[in-house]
Amino acid sequence: MAATWQFALFICMFLMESRGETPASDVTTMTITNLSNRTEVAPSSGPGNNSSEGSTSLAVVSWRWEHVSTPYLVALWVLVSWLCKFIIESLPSFVTNVIPESALLIAFGWILGGIIWAADLQQTFSLTPRVFFYFLLPQIILDAGYSMPNKLFFTNLGGILLYAILGTVWCAATLGLSLWGCQAGGAMGALDIGLLQYLLFGSLIAAVDPVAVLAVFEQVHVNEVLFIMVFGESLLNDGVTVVLFNVFDAFVKLGGPGINAVEIIKGIISFFIVAFGGSLVGLAFGLLVALLSKYTKNIQIIEPGFIFVLGYLSYLTADMLSLSAILSVTFCGVSSQKYLNSNMAESSVNTVRYVMKVFANGSETIIFVFLGISAIDKTIWVWNTGFILLTLLFILVYRFIGTFIQTWWLNQYRLVPIALIDQLIMSYGGLRGAVAYGLAAMLDDQRIKEKKLMIGTTLIVVYFTVILQGLTMKPFVTWLKVKRAAVAEVTLVEKVQNKVFEHSLVAIEDISGQIGDNYLRGKWKIFEEKWMSRFLLTSEARKKQDYIFNVFHQLNLKDAVGYVDEGERRGSLEFVRNESAFIDFKKKFGDEFSEVMPDIMAAASDDPDAMRRNPVSSVSLQMHEKTMQGMRETEDIDAHHLLQQHLYKGRKQHLHRYSRNHFDINTDDNEVQEIFQRTMRNRLESFKSAKMGLAPAKTITKHTKKDQQQKMPNGKSTDTSKNYYANNEGFEFSEGASGLEASGGSFPFRVNYRAGAGIENPTFMPDQDPMAPTQIPPWQAEDEPDGSTVSPSQRAQVRLPWTPTNLRRLAPLRISNQSTDSFAQADTPASQEKDKKWPPPPPPPSDK
Amino acid sequence: MGSKSSSLNKIPNAQELMQETGFSAAHILRLYERFEFLDVDQMGELRPEDFGAIRELSMNPIGDRIISAFFSPGKETVDFASFVRILAHFRSTETNRTRDGAQPEPANSRTRKLKFAFQLYDQDRDGKISREELLQVLRTMMEMQVTEEQLQSIAERAIQEADLDQDDAISFDEFRKSMEKVDIDHKMSIRFLS
C-alpha cells in the first residue's frame, strides 16, 4: 500500500510541477518535458494520424502519448532510479560492504548518463533546483526530523548549533576569501571573479549534505554522540547554508558599491530571522499536526497522511514567507514525532514510519542517480585546474581547522569532551551533496559569469566527497578505533535505571544549587507534562506515554515475535506445549506435580537443553504467564495481541482489501453471517451433545472444567493437569472475554488435546472417541486453509497489524468460534458440507 | 572576591577534601556557600528538613531517596565533608586523570557511581534489590495512570532480566552486569560549576 501511495504522490507532484512550468518554458525546466517534446515527434507521424482522421469517425483505440507523456516519463525515471538501487542491493556483499551505496548510485548515474549520451539525447536530464527543492528534498528532511532521536539531539543541541551556524559561516568565509586571495595571487589563470561571488560560492559549497552523511554513517555505526553531531550539523547546516546563500545572493545583486554597513547589519539580522523564523514555523506546524492527530481516531485510514501534507505545507509556508524551509520541515518533524507516535493507532504509526522511509529513500535514490547523470551535461565542464583543486583542498583543510577550533571551545563546556578521534571523523564526514549542487544550479548566470565553472566544481566536489571520502570512511573508522555504537539491546533494568539516573541528576543539581542542563531538562519535563501533553495527547495516549512502560511494551512485543519465530523455526508451535512451557512449570510446580504428571515431566525432560538454548522463548513464556495474572483487564497494551494476531489467522486475509475505508475484519457480510451460523449451529450441537451425556462443549470455563473432572474419574493424569489450570487464576477462561484470553486459549486447549491424544484408559475410549478429532488445537484448526501451520505468521508480518479496537471487537466472536469449532468438525458430514473449502483437519499428532 | 579566598580557610579540612574528592578549590567554595545556604540554623550540619526545603526536590519522585543517601545509617545529620563526598559521586570521570594512584578508588569511579545508584533502590541495605524494593521505586517514578498490576509485571520482568542466580532479587554484581553497556559516566555525571 505504501509503495502505491508513494508512486501516486510522486506522479501527482511531477504533474503539478510540469503544469506550473509549461507556460514559463524555462530552459532549466524539468528536463523530462524536453524529452517528451522530442519523443512526441515519432508517434505523431505514425498512429497520431489516426486521431486527426478520427474527427469524422469514431476511433476505437487511439494513441494519446502527449496526454500522458510527462507523468509517464517521470514514473519511468523513478522506476529506473529505483531499479538501480535494486541492482545495487543485489550486488555481492563484498562490494556493498566496501563501497557506500550513495557512491554506487552515483556510479550508476554515470552509466545511465553514458547510455543517454551515446543515444544522443544529451543535455536533457539534470536535476533542476525546482524539482530538487520542492519535490525531492522535503521528504528527506522530514524523515530525518521525524526519526530524529530527540533526546540525544537536544542534549547536544548547543554543539550542533555551534557547528551548524558558526562552522558553516566559517567554511563559507574562509573558502571565499582564500579563493579570492589565490586568484589575486594568480593561481587560477585568467579568472575574474569578485569577492562577493566567491563568498556566494563558498556559502553554497559549505552545505554538508545530510543525505550523503546519513548514507555513509548509517553503514559505519559510529557512537551515538558522534553520529548526532555530524547528522544534526548536516541537517541544520543545510538550512543555514540556504539562508547564507540568499543573503550573499542579495549582496551580489546589490553589487559591490551598494553594500555599506547598514546592509551588512541587515544581512546578519535577516540571517537570524530567516533561520529562527523558519524553525518557529516548523514548530507551529508540528504542534498543529500533533493536535490534529488527537482527533483523527475516526478517520484512521488517512490519519497517517496528515504529517506528510502538513509537513510539506510547513515547507512551502516557510518558503513563501522567505524563511528557511529546510529548518521549518526539520522542526516540524522533530516537534510532532512524540505526540504523533503516542496519539495515533499503532498501525498508523507504523504506516507513517514506513511511508516516510519509502519517500525519503526513494527520493534519495533518485537524487544520487541524477547527480551522476548530471555529469553528461557537457556545457558545465569548464575546466580550471587551479580553481577546482584549490576548492577541494580548502574545503578539506578549513573543515578540519574549523572543527578543531570549535570542538576545543565546546569541550570547555562539555561534561564529556569530544575525543580527538571523533573530531577527525567529524571533520572527515563533511560530505557535500545535492543541496550544494541544487544551490549551484540556482546561481544567476546574468550576474555570475562563471556559473558553469561553479556548477562543474560543485559536482566534482560532490563526487570527490561522496565517493572518495565515503569509501575511505569505514577503513578510517576501523583504523582509528573510533568508539562504535553499542549494540542496542534494550533491557528493562537499564531503562528503569536511566530514569533513576535522570532524576538523581536533577536532584543533585538542585541540592548543589546549580542551574545546569539537567535542571532545565527537569523544568521542561514538568512543563511538557503539565501543558503540552494535556493539549496534544489523547487521554489514552497519556496513559501509555511513560517511557519505562513503553519499553516494557516493546520488549513484550519483541518476545512475542521471538516466541512465534522460534515456533516457526521448529516447524510449529508444538515446542510451547512440549518443552519450555513445561520446563517453566516444572521449575515452579514440579515438586507438586511430578508424580501426577509423569508424562508431562517426561516430555519436558526429553530436551533439557531446550530452555538454555532458547532463553528468549522461555522468558517470554514466563512473562506470558505473569502478564496473564497481572494484566487481564488491561489487555490492550499487551503482547498477546501480537500473539493472537500471529496465531489465529485464516481466511480473513483477503477480505479487508476490498474496503477503502476500513481495516475491520468483519465488514464482510457473508463472513459475519457465516460465523454467526457456525456459532449458532455449534452451540446447538454442544447443547445436544450435553444433553446426550457427552462432555460439554465449553470445557474451558472454570466451572465446567470442574464438572468434567468429576465426570472423568479415570483420566487421572489429564484431570490433575486440568485441575492445575483450573486452580490457577491466570488461566481462567471464559467465553466472551476479550482478546487477551484468546491467545491464552492455547493453554487449556493444550490440555484438551492431551486428553485426546494421550488416552490410555481403554474403558474411556467409547466416550472420547467421537471427540478425538475435536481435540485439534485452535492454531492448527485455523491454519488449515493455508495448508501449513507456519505461513500465517509470515503473512502477519506483511499485513498491517490490527488495532486493539479491532481485536477486542473480534475476540468474543473468535473465541466462541474456536471453542465450539471442534464440535462442528466432530459432526463431520454437516460441517464438511458447510465448509467445503476447508480440508478436513489432520488427526492430532501423537506426541508419544 | 577577597572574601572568597579567605573563606577557604574557614572550611574545615578543605585541602584534604579537595585531595579526596577531586573538586577544585572553587568547587569546594561554591559548594560550601550552598551548604551554608541550606543550613538554615547555622549548625554546620544539615538535617533532612534542610534538604526538604529545596522546593524542586520535593517534586522529584526519588528526591527522598536521594536525600536519605546523604545520611549514613543511624545518623540524623550530615556535615560538610560528607556532603561533598556524596556529591563527588557525580563528578565526571574524565576530569579525574591527574589523580595519583594513592587512593584506592575515587568516588566518581564507575563502581562507586553504580554503588550509589544501587543504594537508591536498596533501602534496607541488605545488598539486594528485592522485588518489593524495585516496585517501590517504580511506583514513585511511573505516572499515576499505570495500574498496580502493570507495575508488578514490569518489576517482575526487570528482575528476571537481571537476576542471574534465580534468587528473585538483584544483587550488586548482577546490577553491575546489567549495566555493563550503559555509559555510566555519561549518565551519572553533572558539570559542577566553579
Side-chain angles (χ1 to χ4, degrees), chain B residues 9-182:
Chain B
N9 304 326
K10 172 168 88 173
I11 305 171
N13 307 331
Q15 292 303 326
E16 277 169 46
L17 266 178
M18 279 163 59
Q19 185 71 23
E20 189 189 333
T21 58
F23 279 121
S24 70
H27 283 137
I28 295 279
L29 262 180
R30 199 193 145 88
L31 289 177
Y32 192 69
E33 275 169 23
R34 180 67 183 173
F35 184 80
E36 284 191 317
F37 173 80
L38 291 177
D39 187 14
V40 187
D41 43 10
Q42 306 296 325
M43 300 249 298
E45 284 174 333
L46 293 183
R47 286 168 296 119
E49 300 90 84
D50 295 330
F51 284 104
I54 307 173
R55 202 171 55 85
E56 287 88 358
L57 204 56
S58 58
M59 282 151 75
N60 195 316
I62 57 167
D64 293 344
R65 283 160 191 270
I66 299 278
I67 292 173
S68 64
F70 276 85
F71 299 91
S72 45
K75 271 198 167 174
E76 288 295 300
T77 56
V78 55
D79 62 358
F80 180 66
S82 328
F83 180 73
V84 172
R85 272 185 210 115
I86 297 290
L87 288 180
H89 284 104
F90 289 88
R91 283 183 59 242
S92 92
T93 328
E94 241 97 337
T95 52
N96 206 32
R97 282 192 211 107
T98 51
R99 323 256 333 129
D100 51 358
Q103 274 107 9
E105 217 166 1
N108 59 354
S109 75
R110 188 186 164 88
T111 314
R112 292 281 299 274
K113 275 173 192 277
L114 275 176
K115 193 94 196 164
F116 185 88
F118 185 78
Q119 270 162 7
L120 291 181
Y121 294 96
D122 186 19
Q123 292 290 290
D124 59 5
R125 317 224 168 184
D126 65 346
K128 277 181 177 172
I129 304 176
S130 69
R131 184 183 315 194
E132 194 46 46
E133 280 167 345
L134 183 62
L135 204 57
Q136 275 168 13
V137 176
L138 281 174
R139 205 173 288 143
T140 55
M141 285 199 319
M142 301 282 265
E143 331 244 305
M144 287 296 119
Q145 295 94 340
V146 182
T147 66
E148 187 64 26
E149 281 87 10
Q150 289 167 342
L151 281 180
Q152 266 170 13
S153 57
I154 291 177
E156 175 69 27
R157 166 139 205 162
I159 294 230
Q160 248 173 30
E161 274 176 0
D163 186 17
L164 300 175
D165 55 5
Q166 312 284 339
D167 64 348
D168 223 20
I170 304 177
S171 69
F172 180 64
D173 274 342
E174 286 163 351
F175 182 71
R176 186 162 55 181
K177 210 153 231 154
S178 68
M179 292 286 127
E180 222 157 33
K181 287 196 192 116
V182 182

Side-chain angles (χ1 to χ4, degrees), chain A residues 9 33 47 119 148 301 327 343 369 392 443 489 566 629 694 706 753 781 786 823:
Chain A
L9 253 155
T33 12
M148 176 79 74
I301 291 301
L327 289 177
N343 270 345
V369 170
L392 277 178
L443 287 173
E489 181 76 27
E566 180 59 20
Q629 282 171 4
L694 288 172
K706 277 177 182 161
Y753 156 66
D786 308 304
F823 282 87

